[in-house]
């Protein structure tokens, strides 16, 4: 793969990690994941983390990832554009999408410990919490998949473009969520 192809493939394969955060805004609501409980005087996670948002987000990422897997199998694309054989693909997709939502929840946990209120800005943490979660989980469950696509060959270009695209998408989606009345603030 050329560096450009590797960069595009890298972002494409990260879709299961990119989608959950935005989908959570659409699905969110109902019972908070911490059931309203506090720890040391501050909410554990806060009202911005709900079960519906968690599972709606993670399952949206999973469904899209499996769709991409199916498409690449039907088109018989080169290995680098697909997730590989089905078992590896399913494991990578699940790790990326659930990892993204776990990272998002962990980010809120850290924010509350730092006395940052729900919806208040935490630069870098807000944009990269789900990235860290997705990469950590995929490294735990499917390390070779990550190495094949993001380290070996020109894979690093995929990782770099993905890290550049994340804050731009994050911002764009949050502005849309705000305009739809789903979010109180446009960040
Ligand atoms: N959301 C949800 N459940 C989740 C994640 C997100 O319901 N597990 C919804 C909430 O409506 C949330 C919105 O998506 O307000 C935006 O998510 P995010 O920016 O992550 O939450 P914040 O409200 O900013 O809260 P925090 O400060 O804890 O990040
Ligand atoms: Mg936020």
């Amino acid at each position: 793969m050329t560096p450009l192809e590797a960069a595009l493939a890298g972002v494409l394969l990260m879709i299961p990690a990119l989608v959950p955060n935005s989908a959570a805004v659409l699905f969110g609501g109902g019972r908070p994941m911490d059931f309203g409980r506090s720890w040391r005087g501050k909410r554990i996670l806060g009202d911005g983390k709900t079960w519906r948002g968690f599972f709606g987000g993670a399952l949206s990422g999973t469904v899209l990832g499996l769709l991409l897997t199916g498409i690449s199998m039907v088109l018989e694309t080169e290995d680098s554009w697909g997730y590989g054989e089905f078992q590896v693909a399913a494991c990578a997709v699940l790790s990326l999408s659930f990892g993204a939502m776990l990272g998002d929840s962990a980010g809120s946990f850290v924010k509350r410990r730092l006395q940052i209120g729900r919806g208040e800005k935490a630069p870098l943490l807000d944009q990269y919490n789900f990235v860290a979660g997705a990469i950590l989980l995929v490294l735990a469950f499917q390390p070779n998949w990550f190495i094949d696509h993001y380290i070996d060959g020109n894979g690093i270009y995929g990782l770099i473009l993905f890290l550049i695209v994340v804050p731009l998408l994050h911002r764009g989606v949050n502005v849309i969520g705000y305009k739809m009345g789903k979010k109180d603030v446009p960040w």
Side-chain angles (χ1 to χ4, degrees), residues 37-93:
R37 280 194 293 248
S38 296
W39 185 49
R40 297 186 173 187
K42 292 282 167 196
R43 283 288 293 276
I44 301 174
L45 298 176
D47 284 333
K49 303 294 115 132
T50 65
W51 289 105
R52 264 166 43 191
F54 183 92
F55 284 103
L59 292 175
S60 302
T62 304
V63 166
L64 265 175
L66 293 178
L67 209 68
L68 286 175
T69 305
I71 292 173
S72 76
M73 283 176 171
V74 169
L75 297 180
E76 296 181 4
T77 55
E78 218 184 297
D79 275 359
S80 320
W81 288 99
Y83 289 91
E85 56 181 282
F86 187 75
Q87 253 179 330
V88 173
C91 183
V93 164

